[in-house]
Amino acid sequence: MFGAMGCILLAAILGKFWLALLAVMFAMPAAWLFNLQCRKCSWPVYRAFGSAKQKYQRDQLLAPLNSKILWNLPAACTKCGTDFSGTDPVESF
Ligand SMILES: [Zn+2]
């Protein structure tokens, strides 16, 4: 009885571990993509400049949550206007 309960508990912990591992594996490339920065002004590529509230603009943690996140790579940097066309930003950064 206790052995079975222990097994179920272990399975639940292992299940959660694999679920956590899976979540990390999915989150890693996403975090890597969202951390891409403009090579000139180092503004995050996937964040529209000036879209965050002024008081959150400089906050590293709150700015991403309050600013508009772009799901497609913009043609140019939203801050300094550096053209991304013709170059692969994933390769250049
Ligand atoms: Zn820029």
Side-chain angles (χ1 to χ4, degrees):
M1 185 69 186
F2 282 108
M5 277 174 74
C7 276
I8 289 162
L9 201 73
L10 200 75
I13 289 164
L14 277 171
K16 278 194 179 128
F17 173 74
W18 282 109
L19 210 72
L21 203 75
L22 216 70
V24 167
M25 279 169 79
F26 276 110
M28 286 251 292
W32 174 71
L33 266 175
F34 285 119
N35 279 321
L36 282 178
Q37 292 176 331
C38 172
R39 61 183 175 276
K40 273 196 178 172
C41 66
S42 72
W43 180 259
V45 164
Y46 284 93
R47 210 167 295 154
F49 177 69
S51 59
K53 291 188 184 99
Q54 200 63 45
K55 62 174 179 173
Y56 299 128
Q57 198 74 266
R58 286 177 171 274
D59 198 300
Q60 288 284 320
L61 188 74
L62 293 173
L65 300 170
N66 284 276
S67 67
K68 187 186 165 201
I69 290 167
L70 304 167
W71 294 101
N72 293 310
L73 184 72
C77 176
T78 50
K79 190 181 182 186
C80 69
T82 300
D83 196 16
F84 293 148
S85 62
T87 54
D88 190 354
V90 178
E91 291 286 322
S92 346
F93 287 120

